[in-house]
Amino acid sequence: MKLLSSNQPSMATTPADSPDRSIDDFAEQMNEAEKNKYTKGRKLGEGTYANVYLGTLKSDPTKLVAIKKIKIQTDYKEGMAPDAIRELKHLQELSHPNIISLLSVFSSKDQNLNLVLEFLPLGDLEMLIKDTKNIRYGAGDIKAWMGMLSRGIYFCHANFVLHRDIKPNNLLIADDGEVKLADFGLARSFADPYRPMTSNVITRWYRPPELLFGTQHYSGAVDIWSVGLVFAELVLRMPYIAGDTEVHQVNLLTQAVGTPTEENWPGVSKLPAYTVPLPHTPVREKDYYNQMFGTAGIVGVDLLMQMLVLDPSKRITAKEVLNHDWWYTDPKPTRNKNLPRKGGGEEAVVADLKRRPGVVEDERTAKIARKLDFGNMA
Amino acid sequence: MNSLAMSRLNINSKHGEDPSNDICPVCKSNRYLNPSLQFLINPECYHKMCSTCVDRIFTSGPAACPVPHCGKTLRKKGFHKAFFESLSIEREVDIRRKVASVFNRRQEEFESLRLFNDYLEDVENLVFDLVEGRGKVRQAAEKKLEQYRLGNMKEIEENERTEKEEAEMEKLRETNQKEAARRRRLANQQEELEEKAVVAKAARDTLEQLANDEGHAEEITKRAERIILKGAGPRRRQFEKPVEANGSADGSLTIRGLKKKEAPTKDMPYDPFGGLNVAPTKYVLQKDYESQWLAGVKKNENNHLTGGYSLPEYYGRAMFEAFSGLSVFIEDEKEADPKQSPSAAVATEAAVLAVGVMMEIDDVF
Amino acid sequence: MSEDERYRASTQFRLWSFTLYALHAQRTQTNLNAAARVRAAVRRVREVRRADTPDGGNGNVPSMAPEAETDCLTVEEEKKLIAFYCRQALDLGDFLGLGNEVKATAVQYIKRFYVTNSVMTYSPADILKTALFFATKTENHYFRLTKFAEKLPNTKAEDILALEFLLTQGLRFTFDVRHPYRALEGAVMELLAIANHDVPLLPGVEGAYPPKPHNMQNRVFAVHSNARQYLKISALLTDVYFHFTPSQIMMASLLIADSSLTEWFISSKFPSTAEAEEVKLKILATITSCADMLREVNPIRSKEEIDLERSQMKPLGKKLNKCRNPEKMDLVALQKSKREGDGGVDEKVIKKRKMEKEKFAKEGEDLFGPGLKGS
């Protein structure tokens, strides 16, 4: 079927005769072309949000991809869901070794969105942390993973994007051991001054105090807090501040880090949802942390403490994290090929991908963000 | 010696038929009169003369070569006995040795066998120029050699070291193997002796038994046989072990090999930024900027700053966007590249079309 | 990575930047392709109708041309219509109280959509509503769909949604649009800092600065508001987003507002080497072309200009109604059928809905629609 050239304006041509009229838009043609670049293979898994298929590049069948087909959610009546929009919007713009690559997007005939992502077969960091029976790792390994996570988040912030859902579950591992930030379903651009954002983001256990207190104006510091909690979890091999409700989360937080007060965080008591338990706990000092997080070493603990500073305006930034001394002290960060790895995490990666970003399955409702009210989302 | 040299070698010359083997070109003394005549050469000019001449001319210091039209300044130290009868071969071998000490790259450094062979060919061409070349050609070749040497000193050293290590390992392995062989031999000898002893004893015992206990001759004999066989077995098995133990010599080889591979990668220091540098090039970001509009934020209206909102983040973004793409000339860049970006998204077909080319699209049905 | 390299990584640069020639060529292809399809579709509809009505009548649809070939829009006419509807989108955005970035993004969605789609295939009056709605989502300025539809006349929620997937497909699923507004804030901040605090102009370059323009601070204030007008209106209604980068568009608006200040500003960013000089001149030339393009649309229009536009648009609107692709008019059914995967929706249903639609279309043949509620 030839498209018309501009020299022959009145030519009637084959599109008229083609029996099927549904594929005649140029945009649709391009979509078809894109779709045909990939061979969809077997289904890796099925979920309510998306199905995941293993796929290959037609031009090079050794190149594996994951094709995430997003299902139309019947309970959301506002068209394309915000989490799909966010994933698409931001992954299209961000290209970095520590961020999952979106290779392509196309729609299938039934108008379902298909995201072609790089295939990351080795599961996520949560799996490695939890598998205390089979997997051992040390300070050098922690440093390597933290380095990759920090780089990924630095790149997001350098491109003015907040991730807003950092947790070990969202840190996927590539074939070569590289850690990749995934799940941009809650991500958004930095807000301009005066523009409010929702405080109802980030999975509860990794949520910073300013969000728990309901602030509508915040910065990249929210992500850094999450990074700090991932750091703590890597060392302890269990979540550090794991509350069952928001109130509980605040309580645990005050125990673990210290009570936010006007003294250590001017203005905090004016935040909309500010309540703290009595009596106040003083802010923990380095002896406390050194005892608990000894594996990280003194310099590592210093970095951790800077990530867990209560007042977000005093918390370390992503750039400062990468300039910290910890990266240069011993032990050196482990080389990727020597990092501990999970055996065959295919089920895991599927579980990761078919999860709806920003929302977690029922068994884990306890620790996730509440079901998001998209009407008031910002 | 490769074929090129072979072809240049005058294979018809036989030792003894060449008169220069018996008469010194400088003093004309001959072997008949001086049976212990020994010829020396100096690699400066490869002119041969007898040891007496060398002593006579050069003992008191450097002097000019006596061969007419040469006159090169020679030192006594430089003189040595030629390895080859043909001086041109001697010279060529010296040149090759010199070149090989500089061009010592190994096959594993090349991405393919073809590339390695290309390299070898280039080296051979250089050698040809050095050996056969006259005047400018030879000078150019010598310059090339020196330049390469200076430019690649580190790699040359490394490869030298590698070669040396390998040679050492080879030697070590050899000695180990020899040692192993020797031990094996001893063990064998020992065992033979022991076996013999066992057999002898068994025989004696049997005889005694037979002598003492007449009834169970067959049994006794059978038992004796069994003992003999049993005695031999386990010892034979013990045999294999020493060889395996010596396999550890190979083990040490592999350990060395590993170290070698890791050394270069450890040289690169860890960069926490992974090579990323997003420092501004067109402005210097200030800590604060004047703005009427931002006064409200700065006064922390609505707890704007308490929650951590960062004006520096905003400043950084506004400044970045003010200059990002200022020197990106779409009219030029998009023309040059009809197929839009190689990377990620859903791009290419539009690009083809964008150049106004007729596009063939397969009718899906 | 320099600021420029980082811009080149954006989808705006990779997918939505074109040379002048390329954009025109693409739009021409789209237009011709659509025209051919319209004629083919009209032919098919006529055949069906002839089969249904044995008297061979024309049917009772006023908007279908008699047996002559359909008179389709030209590329230029499409451009004019699209610009007109973009303006409508801005007005509607104002009416709905949407933020600047939302409106601007919506307009760019409309323009991008119509690079590879024609107004003859999909009506801009419909698309603009969907674009606005979709932009509220992508720009984090959420608006309940039902509330949105309520505020718009003659609009059902499902109509807005019916086009959403089509829109996203036409956008090649790239939703990030980079605007020049923050860039303007940045430039103004920098200029003020230079005027009042002598900040260094370039990293690593200390020492003597070129003499500052006189009366700099006041000029900067003035430039801010003038330039902004061009960015809010002209930049959106012309093709500058396709041919220039946001930084260049912003600089062009500054150039219009105060040319010598802008030239000084740009010069100050380049050291005096031959190579830098070349780039600087190229930038100035590029910005000048951009400014020329911006000037095609005056941000503040006189009543005469507005009336003139109306009078030009009326005949175009009529022409559009006559050459709309009849098979694409019932979008709700179309989308439903695509989604549910049927080969085609029941013919009767299509007809019925088409009748309804035509009724609306007749009422709304006035391009400007019934008055907005509350306006």
Side-chain angles (χ1 to χ4, degrees):
Chain A
M1 175 172 100
K2 278 203 165 82
L3 287 189
L4 301 175
S5 84
S6 39
N7 295 328
Q8 301 164 282
S10 59
M11 212 165 88
T13 181
T14 35
D17 310 329
S18 105
D20 188 291
R21 283 114 57 178
S22 63
I23 317 266
D24 49 12
D25 273 325
F26 178 64
E28 286 194 40
Q29 286 162 0
M30 289 208 307
N31 186 62
E32 276 302 301
E34 199 59 35
K35 184 163 109 186
N36 290 332
K37 283 190 187 154
Y38 302 96
T39 316
K40 199 187 263 185
R42 62 195 172 88
K43 196 186 281 190
L44 292 174
E46 183 152 356
T48 43
Y49 173 62
N51 287 347
V52 183
Y53 302 83
L54 185 60
T56 62
L57 259 183
K58 268 206 184 119
S59 58
D60 182 358
T62 61
K63 295 278 191 312
L64 295 174
V65 296
I67 303 184
K68 183 172 172 180
K69 180 168 169 173
I70 298 181
K71 296 178 165 179
I72 296 176
Q73 304 296 304
T74 43
D75 58 338
Y76 181 68
K77 307 268 186 231
E78 312 259 321
M80 190 183 277
D83 37 17
I85 291 176
R86 290 179 153 140
E87 279 233 283
L88 276 179
K89 177 174 174 179
H90 295 293
L91 284 182
Q92 291 263 36
E93 309 294 318
L94 295 171
S95 175
H96 186 270
N98 295 115
I99 295 179
I100 192 171
S101 286
L102 177 66
L103 304 170
S104 178
V105 188
F106 57 84
S107 61
S108 45
K109 279 212 178 34
D110 48 359
Q111 292 206 342
N112 281 327
L113 255 187
N114 288 261
L115 272 63
V116 182
L117 297 155
E118 56 174 317
F119 183 56
L120 303 175
L122 293 177
D124 58 47
L125 218 54
E126 185 186 33
M127 282 175 226
L128 291 182
I129 292 175
K130 284 202 159 118
D131 192 358
T132 46
K133 209 165 66 154
N134 299 318
I135 305 214
R136 306 248 173 291
Y137 57 80
D141 304 317
I142 295 179
K143 196 175 289 189
W145 289 320
M146 283 299 294
M148 295 189 261
L149 168 57
S150 305
R151 267 201 292 287
I153 206 58
Y154 172 63
F155 190 74
C156 289
H157 290 180
N159 284 286
F160 319 113
V161 173
L162 298 170
H163 184 276
R164 304 196 305 180
D165 198 12
I166 297 197
K167 52 185 177 178
N169 207 329
N170 285 339
L171 303 174
L172 307 191
I173 303 177
D175 206 278
D176 61 355
E178 197 77 25
V179 167
K180 314 238 177 190
L181 210 44
D183 202 332
F184 277 71
L186 280 174
R188 68 158 285 167
S189 240
F190 288 178
D192 277 344
Y194 303 108
R195 304 277 294 125
M197 294 187 277
T198 177
S199 60
N200 194 9
V201 287
I202 304 189
T203 301
R204 190 190 309 125
W205 294 352
Y206 307 89
R207 201 180 303 166
E210 62 266 28
L211 291 183
L212 290 164
F213 294 150
T215 186
Q216 295 200 296
H217 302 285
Y218 49 88
S219 69
V222 303
D223 283 332
I224 297 296
W225 177 275
S226 307
V227 173
L229 283 168
V230 171
F231 190 179
E233 192 164 332
L234 279 168
V235 174
L236 298 174
R237 297 198 77 156
M238 50 186 267
Y240 185 40
I241 309 179
D244 302 320
T245 62
E246 274 167 37
V247 173
H248 189 204
Q249 186 72 18
V250 172
N251 290 352
L252 291 180
L253 199 157
T254 57
Q255 294 290 316
V257 181
T259 310
T261 61
E262 281 294 327
E263 246 180 43
N264 57 41
W265 182 353
V268 66
S269 57
K270 307 276 189 312
L271 290 178
Y274 175 77
T275 72
V276 289
L278 290 168
H280 291 172
T281 316
V283 173
R284 303 290 184 188
E285 311 228 317
K286 63 174 190 270
D287 291 330
Y288 180 85
Y289 283 95
N290 276 324
Q291 240 186 15
M292 200 171 266
F293 300 99
T295 320
I298 301 182
V299 185
V301 161
D302 176 77
L303 178 58
L304 175 62
M305 288 178 71
Q306 291 197 50
M307 291 178 174
L308 297 182
V309 167
L310 293 167
D311 182 345
S313 60
K314 301 198 194 84
R315 209 173 290 154
I316 193 173
T317 65
K319 185 169 173 193
E320 289 163 353
V321 167
L322 293 177
N323 277 323
H324 196 272
D325 285 334
W326 188 47
W327 311 109
Y328 303 105
T329 60
D330 275 334
K332 292 207 179 34
T334 316
R335 300 263 143 204
N336 278 14
K337 58 179 196 251
N338 298 327
L339 284 169
R341 41 182 64 193
K342 178 108 184 158
E346 199 187 83
E347 322 80 54
V349 75
V350 171
D352 281 326
L353 287 181
K354 68 184 186 189
R355 246 183 316 122
R356 183 180 199 152
V359 176
V360 181
E361 292 93 38
D362 290 308
E363 322 86 82
R364 292 190 275 183
T365 357
K367 56 182 166 92
I368 52 140
R370 272 190 298 253
K371 187 149 199 315
L372 302 164
D373 178 8
F374 293 133
N376 293 321
M377 275 287 261
Chain B
M1 223 184 294
N2 68 6
S3 54
L4 206 52
M6 288 295 279
S7 61
R8 281 183 272 122
L9 177 61
N10 182 0
I11 52 176
N12 285 322
S13 112
K14 279 193 206 138
H15 180 83
E17 279 188 20
D18 187 344
S20 70
N21 276 328
D22 294 331
I23 300 178
C24 171
V26 176
C27 66
K28 312 289 189 248
S29 51
N30 65 28
R31 202 180 282 280
Y32 185 67
L33 294 175
N34 184 359
S36 63
L37 193 67
Q38 218 186 56
F39 288 106
L40 302 178
I41 52 145
N42 191 307
E44 285 293 318
C45 56
Y46 290 93
H47 289 141
K48 153 172 109 178
M49 55 194 92
C50 70
S51 43
T52 322
C53 288
V54 171
D55 284 337
R56 186 185 70 246
I57 304 174
F58 300 102
T59 308
S60 43
C65 174
V67 170
H69 305 299
C70 178
K72 279 215 172 84
T73 311
L74 305 177
R75 289 177 165 65
K76 183 156 176 209
K77 207 163 53 152
F79 280 94
H80 60 262
K81 193 158 185 301
F83 193 76
F84 296 98
E85 192 183 308
S86 157
L87 291 182
S88 56
I89 293 180
E90 178 84 18
R91 175 171 167 265
E92 179 167 339
V93 168
D94 282 343
I95 289 175
R96 283 188 180 277
R97 201 182 301 127
K98 207 168 33 153
V99 170
S101 73
V102 170
F103 285 95
N104 62 358
R105 289 210 183 266
R106 305 151 70 73
Q107 183 171 350
E108 55 256 28
E109 287 182 64
F110 291 86
E111 285 179 28
S112 70
L113 181 62
R114 175 62 201 251
L115 290 169
F116 179 55
N117 284 333
D118 288 343
Y119 160 78
L120 290 176
E121 186 173 347
D122 289 339
V123 174
E124 199 47 45
N125 288 335
L126 184 74
V127 168
F128 186 85
D129 285 344
L130 286 171
V131 170
E132 303 292 327
R134 295 270 168 272
K136 282 217 182 95
V137 173
R138 191 165 92 191
Q139 271 178 23
E142 275 170 0
K143 189 158 172 233
K144 233 174 149 180
L145 180 68
E146 185 59 17
Q147 274 179 352
Y148 181 86
R149 189 182 72 82
L150 291 173
N152 295 279
M153 288 181 98
K154 184 151 162 271
E155 281 92 341
I156 292 173
E157 256 176 54
E158 271 179 37
N159 283 336
E160 255 178 48
R161 239 184 296 130
T162 312
E163 275 172 38
K164 230 200 284 181
E165 276 176 23
E166 279 183 358
E168 277 174 18
M169 287 193 302
E170 203 34 61
K171 237 207 277 185
L172 186 68
R173 189 149 45 116
E174 240 185 81
T175 36
N176 281 337
Q177 277 183 353
K178 280 208 186 104
E179 185 59 30
R182 194 179 69 89
R183 264 188 253 134
R184 245 179 287 139
R185 253 178 313 170
L186 276 174
N188 266 344
Q189 279 177 3
Q190 189 73 311
E191 199 169 310
E192 266 181 52
L193 286 171
E194 278 174 21
E195 259 195 48
K196 281 203 181 112
V198 166
V199 171
K201 181 160 187 294
R204 268 196 310 257
D205 287 346
T206 317
L207 282 175
E208 246 184 70
Q209 270 189 16
L210 285 172
N212 295 338
D213 186 359
E214 293 187 20
H216 306 275
E218 267 185 60
E219 237 186 71
I220 294 172
T221 327
K222 275 217 179 84
R223 219 185 301 144
E225 278 172 16
R226 251 184 279 137
I227 291 173
I228 293 170
L229 285 172
K230 209 165 66 170
R235 245 178 243 120
R236 223 163 252 141
R237 257 176 270 130
Q238 262 170 20
F239 240 72
E240 327 289 274
K241 284 201 200 119
V243 180
E244 268 172 26
N246 280 332
S248 71
D250 291 318
S252 69
L253 223 133
T254 38
I255 292 172
R256 290 256 196 103
L258 258 179
K259 248 197 224 157
K260 202 177 12 119
K261 252 179 272 166
E262 291 211 343
T265 46
K266 277 205 174 90
D267 283 341
M268 282 196 308
Y270 179 77
D271 174 17
F273 285 89
L276 184 68
N277 175 13
V278 293
T281 64
K282 281 268 171 299
Y283 54 91
V284 177
L285 192 62
Q286 303 300 308
K287 293 203 174 55
D288 187 45
Y289 287 92
E290 273 175 44
S291 165
Q292 277 285 56
W293 173 54
L294 294 176
V297 175
K298 294 185 189 182
K299 278 187 263 180
N300 198 21
E301 275 170 17
N302 199 26
N303 303 308
H304 214 292
L305 295 175
T306 310
Y309 186 79
S310 165
L311 276 176
E313 264 178 12
Y314 175 71
Y315 296 148
R317 188 178 194 187
M319 291 303 296
F320 169 76
E321 293 189 5
F323 293 96
S324 176
L326 186 58
S327 324
V328 172
F329 303 111
I330 292 172
E331 196 69 26
D332 298 336
E333 292 188 31
K334 287 292 167 169
E335 197 140 66
D337 175 26
K339 269 218 172 311
Q340 289 186 16
S341 101
S343 65
V346 200
T348 55
E349 256 61 42
V352 172
L353 215 60
V355 204
V357 171
M358 290 245 288
M359 192 166 116
E360 300 263 348
I361 298 174
D362 290 337
D363 186 343
V364 181
F365 293 91
Chain C
M1 260 181 125
S2 73
E3 293 92 1
D4 291 332
E5 276 155 36
R6 291 172 66 187
Y7 183 72
R8 288 195 187 91
S10 69
T11 52
Q12 183 151 319
F13 177 74
R14 288 189 287 120
L15 272 69
W16 296 107
S17 295
F18 307 95
T19 61
L20 291 158
Y21 173 72
L23 183 60
H24 181 72
Q26 177 65 71
R27 282 174 169 158
T28 308
Q29 287 278 20
T30 303
N31 171 267
L32 294 171
N33 208 25
R37 272 191 252 115
V38 164
R39 293 191 189 106
V42 163
R43 214 174 299 130
R44 279 194 290 266
V45 166
R46 282 183 193 149
E47 269 154 38
V48 166
R49 200 171 294 131
R50 230 171 279 131
D52 283 351
T53 53
D55 63 353
N58 272 339
N60 50 0
V61 183
S63 52
M64 293 311 273
E67 292 286 338
E69 269 291 289
T70 321
D71 186 17
C72 292
L73 293 168
T74 65
V75 178
E76 281 311 310
E77 289 170 339
E78 284 207 52
K79 267 183 85 170
K80 287 208 173 86
L81 277 167
I82 292 167
F84 173 74
Y85 279 103
C86 287
R87 232 186 235 286
Q88 294 278 68
L90 286 178
D91 290 340
L92 192 54
D94 283 335
F95 172 67
L96 292 167
L98 302 178
N100 190 46
E101 308 248 324
V102 177
K103 290 184 289 182
T105 298
V107 168
Q108 288 308 308
Y109 283 167
I110 296 169
K111 289 179 76 76
R112 288 180 180 185
F113 180 78
Y114 283 114
V115 170
T116 53
N117 289 286
S118 165
V119 300
M120 294 185 278
T121 320
Y122 303 108
S123 155
D126 296 329
I127 288 282
L128 81 84
K129 294 172 193 164
T130 305
L132 272 169
F133 177 66
F134 195 65
T136 63
K137 290 199 276 189
T138 60
E139 295 294 329
N140 296 296
H141 194 299
Y142 292 86
F143 217 109
R144 266 250 138 75
L145 174 63
T146 42
K147 212 164 78 167
F148 199 88
E150 257 170 38
K151 289 195 156 204
L152 301 178
N154 278 339
T155 310
K156 290 204 280 249
E158 57 176 358
D159 293 331
I160 297 178
L161 282 190
L163 282 171
E164 193 188 61
F165 197 83
L166 208 69
L167 178 69
T168 59
Q169 195 172 263
L171 292 175
R172 328 261 297 283
F173 305 108
T174 57
F175 307 142
D176 189 40
V177 180
R178 302 192 178 198
H179 298 295
Y181 307 111
R182 241 179 328 258
L184 181 62
E185 297 305 310
V188 165
M189 288 191 314
E190 165 99 332
L191 283 166
L192 279 177
I194 295 171
N196 299 333
H197 304 287
D198 281 329
V199 300
L201 290 158
L202 286 170
V205 174
E206 302 288 352
Y209 298 121
K212 294 186 280 198
H214 81 105
N215 197 18
M216 195 169 170
Q217 195 192 49
N218 288 333
R219 287 170 75 176
V220 174
F221 286 139
V223 116
H224 193 176
S225 44
N226 287 341
R228 216 172 136 73
Q229 282 301 98
Y230 277 91
L231 294 181
K232 283 178 77 169
I233 315 276
S234 317
L236 294 175
L237 300 180
T238 58
D239 281 341
V240 292
Y241 273 70
F242 292 126
H243 303 306
F244 302 98
T245 68
S247 166
Q248 289 164 350
I249 298 172
M250 181 273 290
M251 292 290 184
S253 71
L254 286 182
L255 193 72
I256 295 177
D258 187 334
S259 60
S260 57
L261 178 65
T262 312
E263 280 164 12
W264 177 88
F265 187 33
I266 295 193
S267 299
S268 72
K269 293 295 177 181
F270 289 90
S272 47
T273 65
E275 207 188 296
E277 189 69 22
E278 212 186 292
V279 180
K280 182 186 86 177
L281 289 173
K282 189 139 193 198
I283 290 178
L284 286 170
T286 307
I287 291 175
T288 308
S289 313
C290 183
D292 290 337
M293 202 178 274
L294 284 175
R295 275 188 264 254
E296 288 166 12
V297 172
N298 199 339
I300 303 169
R301 297 188 300 167
S302 60
K303 186 162 188 307
E304 288 83 43
E305 281 174 298
I306 297 177
D307 289 339
L308 179 63
E309 190 185 38
R310 268 196 176 223
S311 62
Q312 284 178 343
M313 285 299 141
K314 249 198 154 108
L316 282 184
K318 284 209 169 81
K319 190 172 176 184
L320 171 60
N321 273 335
K322 297 209 172 92
C323 66
R324 286 182 62 186
N325 189 325
E327 286 165 354
K328 298 285 189 186
M329 283 178 64
D330 187 350
L331 299 152
V332 179
L334 201 67
Q335 195 224 20
K336 223 174 180 179
S337 79
K338 281 206 165 119
R339 208 159 257 198
E340 283 146 27
D342 325 328
V345 182
D346 192 54
E347 285 270 330
K348 289 213 180 77
V349 174
I350 295 186
K351 259 200 197 155
K352 175 164 178 276
R353 304 209 65 170
K354 194 147 51 110
M355 297 288 193
E356 276 178 31
K357 202 72 196 210
E358 283 156 12
K359 198 162 121 240
F360 269 145
K362 193 160 183 217
E363 285 168 10
E365 227 171 45
D366 176 3
L367 201 62
F368 308 98
L372 295 169
K373 290 202 184 94
S375 69

